[in-house]
Amino acid sequence: HACGIAHDGQTFCWGRNTSGQLGDGTVANHHTPLPVSGDVVFDGVTAHAPSHTCALTDTGAAYCWGSNQYGQLGNGTTGGSTVPEPVSGDIGFSTVSTGFAHTCGVTSAGAAYCWGNGQVGQLGTGLLENSPQPARVVAQMP
């Protein structure tokens, strides 16, 4: 699937939607861009195969939708969503990026947080476990 933001700020997604990753409230595939549900205006959006999408508002609030088997939506649960859900923790992000069943974001102060599948250490927390909400990335100094 893919997503983009129009010049007026409206977010659109299209393509495969088996987990609600298009954010339009359905699980139907769409071959043309459809608006993401809700009245939240996003400044940036990132989509990752197979099945989740995240976006940022101009205030740094992160929202995610789609599959959530490992907690990659960051809303404190492992239940999926077909519409944008706010990421837990009231953390303001300057960037957010989706990976394979995990998501990471960086604050304007440079603090990194990741959530979702951490079974092989991809969350950077020093643990080999999943996190359904943002977990601070641990910095290792030489």
Side-chain angles (χ1 to χ4, degrees):
H1 72 293
C3 298
I5 300 175
H7 62 81
D8 65 359
Q10 187 164 13
T11 303
F12 292 86
C13 293
W14 58 95
R16 186 174 184 197
N17 194 32
T18 55
S19 298
Q21 62 264 43
L22 301 185
D24 69 342
T26 75
V27 291
N29 297 335
H30 296 285
H31 301 277
T32 58
L34 290 175
V36 171
S37 294
D39 57 1
V40 179
V41 176
F42 298 113
D43 277 356
V45 63
T46 177
H48 195 281
S51 56
H52 81 289
T53 306
C54 295
L56 285 178
T57 68
D58 64 352
T59 62
Y63 287 75
C64 296
W65 56 94
S67 177
N68 196 30
Q69 178 180 359
Y70 301 98
Q72 62 264 43
L73 301 187
N75 63 3
T77 75
T78 54
S81 179
T82 60
V83 297
E85 295 279 336
V87 171
S88 298
D90 198 30
I91 302 167
F93 294 99
S94 59
T95 64
V96 67
S97 181
T98 53
F100 188 82
H102 70 285
T103 307
C104 294
V106 178
T107 68
S108 60
Y113 293 82
C114 294
W115 54 95
N117 187 345
Q119 295 173 352
V120 293
Q122 62 268 52
L123 301 184
T125 61
L127 304 172
L128 300 176
E129 59 187 36
N130 302 337
S131 179
Q133 58 202 15
R136 182 85 183 255
V137 172
V138 177
Q140 295 273 335
M141 301 305 286

